[in-house]
Amino acid sequence: MKFGSVFNPRGVLEINYKISSIDAYQNVLYTGDEKGTLNRYQLQPDQAMIIQANQAQSKSLTKSRIDQIKVFPQANANLLVLSDQTLYFVEEKTLKGEQISKEKVSLFALNEFSKINQFEIVIVTKKKEGFILQYNQKAGKFECMRERFLLPDIPVTISFIGNLFYFGISKKNYSVINLDDKQLQVANLIMDIGNNPYIKATDNDEILIITTNNIGIFIGKDGQMKQKSTIQLQNKSIQIITIFKQYLIVLFDNLIQVFNLLDSKPMSDIQLPSSAKCITQTSNHLFYGSSTEIIYLYQTPPEQQIQDLLKQGKVEDALQVFQQYNQNSDASKNQQLEQLKLDCGWALIRQMQFQNSLNYILQTNFEPRDFICLFPDYYYAVEKLESVNQNPSQNTISLIINKYVAEYNKGDPKKSQELKLQARDFLIEILEKKRSILTSTQYAYSMKDKLTLLTSTQIYNQNQWHAIPCEQLLELIDFALIKAYLEAQQLSKLKSFLSCNQIYCLSMYAELQAIFQNNKAIEQQQGILARFYESFNKIDLSLEVWRTIGGDSLNQQVQQEACEETTRILKQNPDKNRIFKFILWVFKKQIKTGIQIFYVSESIISPDQMLKFLDEQEMEQDLKRKLKEKYLEVLVLEKQTEEERFHTQLAYSYIDSLFNIFPKDIQPSQIDMKKNQIAGDIYQSLKKFLKNPNAKYNSSSILEKKVKDSWMIGEVILLYGREKRHEEALSQLLNLGYYDWAEKYCCEYTDNLLTKLFKKYKELYFFLEGKQKERSNDQQTQFAFTQVKITINNFLKKYATHSQLNALEVLEMIPENWILADQGEDDGLFQFLNSVISHTLHQKRSTKAAFHLSDMDLLNVECLNASTKQASVRITSDKKCAVCSRSIGEKVFVVYPNAVIAHHTCIKSNTVCPQTDKDFEKYFKM
């Protein structure tokens, strides 16, 4: 018996003659031999010896070879026998025969798959003629019903289907004749005939034609190729082709090929022990004859075929068998297919093909305990598996591999070790995939849900499992994965696993801790140990390890990782004492990383507690200042605390930092921020903070205690402005000669500051004028006086119509001796008066125009209101409601200003017209 074959041969009758032809019908089998003898055997389908040899009948029909036997079911199952170029009609019980035609016959064929022409046969004679005989049931004989037709040559293969006669002539071509055509013309088919021509009808509209290289092509009765795959036969001489159920069976000398007719896929090749001569079948049985016996080909059930193929590791063949026997698509088929794929995976494990096995197993909802139980070292206790069996691990992966290696590799220990490593990697990958599914949001498993998963029929231990919650299953998976990662030294995977996943085997901490502490690879990568402690909620132990790593290592990358992990853990597990205990070393190693801890909620550490902590720590003053400054920035600028004192402290911190770089009493001209990037950055931060409208610092305190009388002139002026001490700000700017700055300052505020500035300009003018008279030869005084005159002249021209300048007050302040010139350097007063007068006249005209427009608008509204009030509506019997279109009648109605009428009960609003949606209340308000 050949495992996985669709059919398997079994000899059922030894014969002492040379069989030449065979056919069967229902429970009777007929054979013909080389000497012209017919044999009849009774079949016993339900018994092992299916042929009853003791009831055999024999009849010598001719003295020549019997070439062909065909049971003719329509003629009471009598036989058509071709022997010595003569066609006989033989009575099926007595085997007595009479000659049908006196013609020398080469070939004959029954009309297949035709209900209309089912009593017809076609005969080809030695004269290259063909004719049709029809069986007359009443007369019990054949009659010639149609005209004869000529053939180009004697064909080697023929097929008769309906009204079409197909034939193939060796080394020439395939042809067809339409017997309903009166002219009976031969039409050649386009297919090459090849070296082994054969035609076989497979149904009432399909013919198989064997072409070049023994390729089978399916065509329809119209001669067109079917949308169906071709079949590739063995390149041998074909004895016969027959159809049995959904199979196409091709008989060669010592080989039988089986194909599925539905999809043309090969099912199996059956090597025959001896040369085959002929083949036949009943509705349920298949026989072929060899030189010494008659052999029964019994059909292997598909389930057995699949199991046999799986035992050989031929998983693709097993899947093919399944698909061929399960053509329909439904839920049960999908379930069976999933089960089969899981079985395929286990079958490949038997063959040590672990990677291929994964491809099938991962397509199923497999039970991971089936795999975990093969590795006793990777589960905590047998009880955890929740097995129905007392000992679920009777057959471990080590025993399975050892048995395989002993059978196929002569017990080679190297091969055994290699396979065990492959098996471990296989377990890791399969558990990783299962874990990703169980924890995926796509599948929405609840951790408390009890899962029923798929168990293979092929597994070694044949386990049954109690359904357990998803959380408990993940506990088993996580424990197995961590141990497997450690044993395989897949430290990068272990690191990622501990970093990215919630761990479910927390109850197994003690055993895993011992394994971690005794692992030499972990000694070299303490970061993994720290992640292990964190995953199992041993936060302080994890932080201790990171502190040791960061403190001992000289590698910047290692230090950076230790600092980042420490900061991350402290942020994720905020506790005041823990933060104060472990953050200091991070500040000293990586300040940029450590300051992330400042974002911890103030409910965990208040600002006063953090500032006090920073003040009390032993560290360099510069580092302490930077840390406090950064904390205040986070507190004020990002957390946006409302407390004034922290805003003021931040400003103090910026200023103190700058005074440490550039002393307070240094001259502004000696400072170049571009040459000191640190100072430049701090200065920009200070300016941005002081200008921030949301900043709540105490400007008076900063001004008096820090920046007054320093080189920070811009900040002093800004703070004066914030305190509304404009007189002091303008005085300082004028004393320093910053006239443009003073004017810009005035434009930024209200309080009529430009008028006040002109007053100060005037005072400065008289002061310098008097000083010039006293020192007429002093060039410095002369230059200062000239600059003030130019400044005043430009001021009057530039700000004549500005909102912050009171023109009347300025006119009163202008001295009588100032020159009124329309040209030259002293044209400022003239330009000022010209602009003021023009601007005043324009304002007056604009106000008058606005008055008249307003008055006109008021008159229009009053007119509209009056005309609206005068509107009238005439109510008649024909007047209809604008909403329901019914007569107003005697019901209460509403009249809108636009003469629309509606029933009071029909409207939605008294002010909104139901026809135009116009809101009259809003209209008249406008």
Side-chain angles (χ1 to χ4, degrees), residues 574-700:
D575 176 80
K576 183 182 72 173
N577 295 330
R578 179 182 289 147
I579 291 171
F580 288 165
K581 180 179 179 181
F582 291 104
I583 197 59
L584 186 59
W585 77 268
V586 181
F587 285 152
K588 294 178 179 179
K589 292 285 185 181
Q590 297 279 349
I591 183 173
K592 289 184 178 180
T593 303
I595 59 177
Q596 296 299 314
I597 205 65
F598 293 155
Y599 293 90
V600 168
S601 171
E602 292 175 30
S603 62
I604 306 298
I605 303 176
S606 69
D608 290 321
Q609 289 173 331
M610 181 61 78
L611 290 169
K612 182 181 178 183
F613 167 73
L614 295 174
D615 276 333
E616 293 175 349
Q617 300 310 305
E618 294 183 4
M619 64 179 87
E620 295 178 2
Q621 288 302 314
D622 186 53
L623 176 61
K624 185 178 291 189
R625 179 190 57 76
K626 287 181 180 177
L627 287 169
K628 290 180 67 177
E629 185 176 292
K630 186 60 186 177
Y631 178 69
L632 289 168
E633 283 182 341
V634 171
L635 186 63
V636 172
L637 302 179
E638 299 190 46
K639 292 187 177 181
Q640 299 182 343
T641 182
E642 297 288 327
E643 292 192 54
E644 180 189 278
R645 60 193 178 107
F646 296 123
H647 289 246
T648 305
Q649 284 184 52
L650 177 58
Y652 281 1
S653 179
Y654 286 143
I655 294 166
D656 290 342
S657 298
L658 288 167
F659 284 163
N660 285 336
I661 301 171
F662 301 114
K664 181 178 180 178
D665 54 358
I666 198 172
Q667 291 300 314
S669 59
Q670 296 177 270
I671 297 173
D672 187 357
M673 290 292 180
K674 294 180 180 178
K675 293 183 178 180
N676 191 319
Q677 186 178 352
I678 295 175
D681 291 343
I682 297 173
Y683 191 48
Q684 290 300 322
S685 297
L686 173 63
K687 290 198 294 184
K688 184 178 179 181
F689 176 63
L690 292 178
K691 291 178 181 178
N692 187 345
N694 297 319
K696 295 178 173 54
Y697 53 81
N698 188 326
S699 52
S700 177

Side-chain angles (χ1 to χ4, degrees), residues 715-726:
E715 287 63 47
V716 171
I717 300 302
L718 176 67
L719 293 170
Y720 274 140
R722 191 176 173 103
E723 287 290 304
K724 298 189 180 300
R725 292 162 62 176
H726 304 306

Side-chain angles (χ1 to χ4, degrees), residues 349 352 354 374-376 395-402 420 423:
I349 292 175
M352 301 293 120
F354 297 108
L374 296 177
F375 298 80
N395 212 346
T396 66
I397 195 68
S398 295
L399 294 175
I400 295 164
I401 290 173
N402 291 339
K420 287 177 182 177

Side-chain angles (χ1 to χ4, degrees), residues 7 107 148 168 207 217 286 290 316 345 364 369 373 406 448 456 462 518 563 575 649 706 803 855 902 908 918:
F7 299 97
L107 295 169
R148 293 176 178 246
I207 300 96
I217 298 174
L286 192 62
S290 72
E316 286 295 331
T364 70
R369 286 178 288 178
C373 77
K448 301 300 180 184
S456 174
Q462 289 293 308
N518 296 326
C563 291
D575 176 80
Q649 284 184 52
K706 292 293 179 180
S803 61
D855 192 43
K908 293 181 180 179
K918 186 173 183 178

